[in-house]
Each structure stands twice: as structure tokens, then as C-alpha cells.
Amino acid sequence: LLLTVPHAVRVSRYVAPTPRTMPPCIISPSLLAADFANLAAESTKVLDGGADWLHLDIMDGHFVPNLSFGPPVVQSLSKHTKGFLDCHLMVTNPGDYVEPLKHAGAHMFTFHVEAVGDEAELVSLCQKIRDANMKVGVALKPGTGASAVHKLCDDPHNAPDMVLVMTVEPGFGGQSFQPEMMGKVRALRERYPAMDIQVDGGLAPATIHQAAAAGANVIVAGSAVFGAPDPAYAIATLRAAVDNLAR
């Protein structure tokens, strides 16, 4: 049987879309919005509800006007939870807290670049934190540009594990989300596609899509989780927004 073969048919090969190169979503509920008299139970509730980390805002009353909790509370909490303790230091002398937080059981030590004198001090503090077996995070106030961390993040030997972009002024919970900070997040994500980028301040179901679209993958949420009728549902909603945009 002789078959006639038509002119060559051009077959299009399917090419799978390239996924966004972004680290996995991490939800870190802020204990600043929890019931301080029941921190252990509150921590268990959100971890059982799907949270990845626990965010602890440490304030000294100097770098920011408010006082919150310090290493003794972190140490007490660490005895009652196996959760990852994500400590955000809003303090004037962050280097003074490295050893106390190491012994308290902290896992992430995030300090503000505005509290550090120069690049050499910045690198030295990052090394001190790593030597204490904690991950390193650097935080930016709304008025500080992303370029303040470029030199550090570009250095393969000293780059932090995470950059925190404040989407409100540090020191007070319950503030409104500042969408103009998303340009900073977007610029950092484009420059550092594999780095954890955290956002903190006013994150809720109504604002999470803006943060996720800009490239944030570590989400700090306080009242949106602890004040929700169903914290597990709130956590799932935040995670879905990031995961859907990361595909």
C-alpha cells in the first residue's frame, strides 16, 4: 500500500511556561497582635492553623517610641513552641541583642539598616549574627530606599538571608498599608530573585495581592490573623494570594 505523504506539517512543540523564580511563601503572624497573657496558646493556635513562623517585634522605646518584649519573653516562648522565631529588632543598638537572643532561642535576627553606622559595621553585625547560628535579616523603613542594602546583598559572602520592607512606619501595630512601598519590593525582587523578601504592616486579605504581585514571599500579618474569626482561614487566604501569583 502506497501512502501519499502531504507536505511537511509544522508541529508546534509545547514549551512549559517558566515559573517565577521566587522562594516559597512563608506566613509569619505577628505576636504584637496576640493576647500577651496567652502567648504560648496564641502561638500554638496559629501554627496549628498553618503559619510557618512566629514574628516577634522587639522594641526598645528609643529607636521607636514603644516598648514591647525582649529576649526574656522570647526565651520563655521558645520553651513552649517548636515554631521558627522570626525576631524583628526595632532597637538603637542591635549588636547588643545578638548574644541574648541566641541564648533565648531566636532563629531569625532582623535589624534595621538605619540603626547601623556604616557598611563595615553592617557587614560585621551580619557576621556576628551568623556566628550565633541565627539567620540574618535587614529591614528598611518606608523612607529608606532599596539601594541602602544593594552593596550588602550583592556580596555573596555577606548577603543577608532576608530583606524586610516595612509597609508602615515601625513601632505601632494596626497601621494602614502603604502601597507606594511596593515599588521597593518589586525592585528588590527583580535584583534578587531567590532572596526571601518580607513585608510587614497593614497586610490583610484586602492588601495581600499588591504585596504578592510585587514579589514579597514572607508575609507578616498581625490583626488580620489574630483578630480574624478563623485564623486558619486568614492564613490560608494570605498564602493562596502569594502562591497563585508565584506560579
Side-chain angles (χ1 to χ4, degrees):
L1 179 63
L2 187 62
L3 296 177
T4 303
V5 180
H7 293 294
V9 178
R10 195 171 174 182
V11 179
S12 297
R13 295 179 61 190
Y14 173 74
V15 179
T18 303
R20 275 175 61 182
T21 308
M22 197 167 95
C25 176
I26 294 169
I27 306 298
S28 186
S30 174
L31 291 173
L32 199 62
D35 179 356
F36 279 17
N38 296 289
L39 283 181
E42 293 275 78
S43 298
T44 298
K45 177 175 69 176
V46 295
L47 290 170
D48 288 349
D52 303 288
W53 294 357
L54 297 170
H55 189 80
L56 295 110
D57 288 307
I58 296 173
M59 309 179 194
D60 65 355
H62 187 264
F63 184 79
V64 292
N66 277 346
L67 279 168
S68 57
F69 31 69
V73 172
V74 176
Q75 185 171 24
S76 294
L77 183 60
S78 71
K79 296 174 183 176
H80 297 280
T81 180
K82 294 182 179 179
F84 184 95
L85 302 181
D86 169 30
C87 296
H88 171 202
L89 284 89
M90 290 167 269
V91 301
T92 299
N93 298 303
D96 294 345
Y97 289 75
V98 174
E99 284 299 311
L101 281 175
K102 169 189 173 180
H103 295 297
H107 300 103
M108 172 72 79
F109 186 112
T110 299
F111 64 92
H112 274 266
V113 296
E114 300 89 356
V116 179
D118 55 29
E119 194 70 27
E121 187 180 344
L122 192 60
V123 170
S124 176
L125 180 53
C126 288
Q127 189 58 55
K128 184 177 181 180
I129 295 165
R130 280 204 180 86
D131 289 345
N133 295 316
M134 292 181 285
K135 288 185 175 292
V136 179
V138 292
L140 301 169
K141 286 183 176 183
T144 303
S147 61
V149 295
H150 282 175
K151 187 173 182 181
L152 181 69
C153 294
D154 289 345
D155 183 346
H157 302 293
N158 296 298
D161 299 288
M162 184 179 77
V163 176
L164 163 56
V165 174
M166 292 298 300
T167 48
V168 298
E169 288 297 332
F172 300 91
Q175 297 180 66
S176 297
F177 176 78
Q178 295 183 22
E180 59 271 24
M181 293 300 106
M182 294 306 96
K184 192 187 303 185
V185 174
R186 191 171 294 107
L188 286 166
R189 176 56 67 208
E190 289 173 357
R191 191 176 179 108
Y192 310 109
M195 183 175 285
D196 281 325
I197 298 177
Q198 185 176 68
V199 284
D200 180 4
L203 275 303
T207 56
I208 184 60
H209 295 280
Q210 296 176 67
N217 72 295
V218 185
I219 310 301
V220 177
S223 54
V225 172
F226 287 104
D230 184 349
Y233 180 78
I235 290 166
T237 300
L238 296 171
R239 189 184 305 283
V242 177
D243 285 345
N244 288 340
L245 283 162
R247 289 175 183 169

